[in-house]
Amino acid sequence: MKRRLTFLLTGLLALSAFAQESYTKKLFTASDGTQLNYRELTPQAKEKDEKYPLVLFMHGAGERGSDNNKQLFHGAAMFENPVNREAYPAYVIFPQCPENGYWAYHKRPDSFQPDSMPLLTAPTPLINGVRELLEQYRNRPDIDTDRIYIIGMSMGAMATYDLTGRYPEVFAAAIPICGTVNPKRLEKSEDVNFRIYHGDADDIVPVNGSRKAYLKLKEIGANVEYIEMPGINHGSWTPAFNQADFMQWLFSQRKSSDTNTNQLED
């Protein structure tokens, strides 16, 4: 068993290292001085005058740090897969949350039950930094601003709800995995296409967070799917990423131009 565990761990580390090869290391400095390490994957064979989708991936608490590597541990390999890269050419960015940060909140919430989650009036410096990073990409001529997507897992799913709640006009689609949010924060998210994943045996972030988000989004008329996985604990991102239509669903979403404003406001 020990030998097998060592082999599996070595394989995972090798996979993570392989994924890092195609992702360029970058550093973004926001207007308030907040710095964000991030990694960027670009379309493999760019064509002149072509516009490409942008995928923003928000990692979980376990990948925080300053190495600009750990945030690629989950999710990065599926975008680097040569079949996916050919079928779905896109820009993919993975910002890294600092060790002492918590993306959408100033600290780890005391409870992950949705009705106890904070109601914020202003974005955290980290979310504001992500907003400015997004704005930089949105202003590029080779980005299709009708096809900007966000994926988040756990802490990153909480950030996904935060960003889509603040800037719903930006995102064509959002995939929050094992996250939670105060449902009141989703009042303006009706124009975002959602696919939510959660394991019903999650003992870290209660499944009630996704259930209530789904019900709220249905209430306001959003296009939302909810996929609950029986017997799955907190690591529901693995079966989510292995859904046969995960990539196809994501890249088929498009925002109508009349809901896409020119600039993100604070």
Side-chain angles (χ1 to χ4, degrees), residues 93-239:
I93 55 175
F94 278 71
Q96 185 176 35
C97 182
E99 189 67 44
N100 61 351
Y102 209 83
W103 280 140
Y105 301 99
H106 295 289
K107 63 182 183 66
R108 186 181 191 271
D110 296 328
S111 169
F112 289 141
Q113 288 294 343
D115 293 333
S116 299
M117 289 292 286
L119 287 169
L120 301 181
T121 57
T124 65
L126 288 171
I127 288 295
N128 190 58
V130 172
R131 176 190 67 82
E132 290 190 16
L133 177 61
L134 271 175
E135 188 66 18
Q136 178 177 276
Y137 275 89
R138 290 176 80 235
N139 287 331
R140 292 175 50 154
D142 57 347
I143 295 295
D144 184 349
T145 57
D146 289 333
R147 300 178 69 201
I148 295 180
Y149 311 126
I150 181 169
I151 301 170
M153 40 181 274
S154 192
M155 177 189 75
M158 299 176 206
T160 297
Y161 286 125
D162 185 86
L163 285 159
T164 53
R166 292 184 188 281
Y167 317 114
E169 69 278 9
V170 171
F171 299 99
I175 301 181
I177 304 170
C178 60
T180 187
V181 66
N182 191 310
K184 295 176 181 177
R185 301 202 57 216
L186 301 175
E187 292 283 359
K188 299 178 181 179
S189 301
E190 68 271 14
D191 292 326
V192 182
N193 300 298
F194 281 87
R195 182 180 269 195
I196 302 170
Y197 292 91
H198 214 127
D200 71 354
D202 196 323
D203 60 4
I204 296 178
V205 179
V207 69
N208 202 32
S210 288
R211 290 174 178 176
K212 286 208 167 186
Y214 168 72
L215 292 172
K216 182 63 177 181
L217 290 165
K218 289 283 286 184
E219 177 188 313
I220 64 173
N223 178 22
V224 55
E225 296 179 32
Y226 176 44
I227 300 172
E228 188 169 298
M229 293 166 282
I232 300 297
N233 204 314
H234 190 55
S236 51
W237 48 83
T238 298

Side-chain angles (χ1 to χ4, degrees), residues 22 41-44 78-90 247:
S22 298
L41 183 73
T42 61
Q44 200 160 22
M78 66 179 172
F79 292 102
E80 192 179 37
N81 177 316
V83 175
N84 287 337
R85 211 168 173 194
E86 181 179 12
Y88 308 108
M247 300 290 275

Side-chain angles (χ1 to χ4, degrees), residues 61-78:
E63 293 75 61
R64 290 176 295 179
S66 58
D67 63 353
N68 210 358
N69 284 326
K70 283 195 294 185
Q71 75 268 35
L72 296 179
F73 196 80
H74 299 292
M78 66 179 172

Side-chain angles (χ1 to χ4, degrees), residues 232-250:
I232 300 297
N233 204 314
H234 190 55
S236 51
W237 48 83
T238 298
F241 295 155
N242 281 304
Q243 287 272 308
D245 68 340
F246 186 94
M247 300 290 275
Q248 187 277 330
W249 181 88
L250 181 68

